Amino acid sequence: MEIRQLRHFMAVVAHGSFTAAARAELIVQSALSTSVRNLERELGAQLFDRTGRRVVPTEAGVALVPAARAVLAGTEAARDAVSSVSGLRTGRVRVGTIQTLTCVDLAAELAAFHRLRPGVQISLREATTPDLIESVRAGELDLAYLAPDAAGLPEGLTAFATWHEELVLITAPGHPLAGAGRTLIRDLADEPFVDFRAGTGLETAVRRLAAHCGLERRITCDVTQIRLLVDLVRAGIGVAIVPRRIGEDAGLPCVGISQPEPGRTVVLVGRSPAPRNPAAGALLEMLAGDADTSGEPLRGEGP
């Protein structure tokens, strides 16, 4: 049974003749008659009484009308749903981010997108870089902000935009280094550190920086939330290396680090060169607009 056959059947019901129904369906009468006969053959019942001046449904035809109407209505609803998503009147976009994202005001960006596309639902998830990578690969996320390690972007992902974040040392107010302006990595050898738990993007970047400079940090406390890390530094339990904006927003002393001047790269990634989800494609245009233009974006192998 085909949708087309049901549509032709309902046209005959509505117009009372095969001639009028064919005219309404913009096909020749013989083609419409053949379509209805094939439907009758499939169902094993005659659907119309063709003996009078007006074609009327048989009992079997009357029984088919509500079911055919429901099927055709469902087909139209399906078309409308796809059209709505394609036209971004509805839909859903899933975005992942590292917890310490500071190079983008993601809340403001998503709010601006919502004003443009109020019918699109936004799902936002915070996770570590390894978790975000796997979620994008698995198709659970359309887009994700992550901080890849020194090896660069893993295969199977495409980078749409990159940003550079400066890392600074934050201390408690009154700490001997609070007013230093800048410091050398080697001068931090005796400092206790507060750090993120191993596996997070920031912890990886700081650990790589310390190893590069030969610094063996003494970790007094490790955490999983940036707010708690800031509070512990403020309380004097240790110093920490974080993106500058985190320290400035917290109102803590931010000390620049020399030799080398540290930073990390944040990348907006997806699974394919162009998002298959129309809502994700529209959001990507907005999110990638503020990216750094000083360097080439990282690119992994396609799926």
Side-chain angles (χ1 to χ4, degrees):
M1 184 186 306
E2 299 176 2
I3 298 296
R4 173 177 54 85
Q5 293 172 329
L6 292 177
R7 191 176 67 247
H8 293 165
F9 164 76
M10 288 301 296
V12 176
V13 171
H15 295 281
S17 78
F18 283 86
T19 301
R23 189 179 301 118
E25 290 294 306
L26 302 177
I27 62 173
V28 297
Q29 180 179 335
S30 59
L32 185 138
S33 298
T34 298
S35 176
V36 172
R37 281 197 301 270
N38 289 339
L39 179 61
E40 290 177 322
R41 189 177 300 112
E42 285 189 47
L43 295 176
Q46 186 173 331
L47 300 175
F48 292 104
D49 183 349
R50 298 169 171 83
T51 58
R53 295 182 60 185
R54 180 177 174 84
V55 177
V56 295
T58 63
E59 288 299 316
V62 170
L64 178 60
V65 167
R69 183 175 290 124
V71 170
L72 293 175
T75 301
E76 289 303 314
R79 286 196 184 98
D80 289 344
V82 173
S83 177
S84 293
V85 171
S86 299
L88 296 179
R89 294 192 299 274
T90 62
R92 183 184 181 197
V93 58
R94 302 158 300 177
V95 183
T97 179
I98 51 176
Q99 185 186 156
T100 56
L101 181 70
T102 64
C103 55
V104 175
D105 189 343
L106 188 54
E109 295 280 14
L110 295 182
F113 180 77
H114 174 69
R115 287 191 293 271
L116 292 174
R117 311 289 185 184
V120 176
Q121 179 186 356
I122 303 170
S123 178
L124 184 61
R125 175 187 167 196
E126 282 187 350
T128 64
T129 289
D131 287 343
L132 293 172
I133 290 172
E134 291 308 311
S135 294
V136 173
R137 280 175 166 169
E140 298 169 1
L141 293 173
D142 297 301
L143 303 167
Y145 290 94
L146 51 87
D149 59 23
L153 195 65
E155 291 185 0
L157 298 182
T158 296
F160 299 118
T162 62
W163 293 262
H164 180 79
E165 291 184 325
E166 179 192 4
L167 299 180
V168 299
L169 183 78
I170 58 173
T171 73
H175 187 282
L177 290 173
R182 300 192 71 82
T183 186
L184 299 176
I185 287 289
R186 64 170 180 262
D187 293 337
L188 304 177
D190 296 328
E191 294 292 335
F193 274 82
V194 181
D195 200 10
F196 268 101
R197 194 156 297 168
T200 63
L202 181 57
E203 186 274 338
T204 301
V206 174
R207 174 163 39 86
R208 188 165 63 238
L209 171 67
H212 177 74
C213 298
L215 173 66
E216 293 187 13
R217 291 177 302 151
R218 178 163 54 93
I219 309 298
T220 58
C221 189
D222 63 79
V223 299
T224 58
Q225 295 293 320
I226 187 62
R227 182 177 299 178
L228 183 55
L229 180 146
V230 167
D231 288 344
L232 290 169
V233 171
R234 192 191 311 277
I237 197 172
V239 298
I241 296 176
V242 299
R244 176 177 287 278
R245 182 175 162 187
I246 289 177
E248 291 178 344
D249 288 349
L252 292 177
C254 295
V255 183
I257 300 174
S258 302
Q259 297 178 341
E261 184 172 319
R264 68 170 179 175
T265 299
V266 174
V267 189
L268 177 61
V269 306
R271 191 167 55 159
S272 57
R276 297 182 177 93
N277 178 355
L283 179 59
L284 174 61
E285 290 184 12
M286 178 178 293
L287 296 179
D290 296 328
D292 287 345
T293 58
S294 55
E296 292 295 322
L298 301 173
R299 185 171 295 274
E301 296 295 328

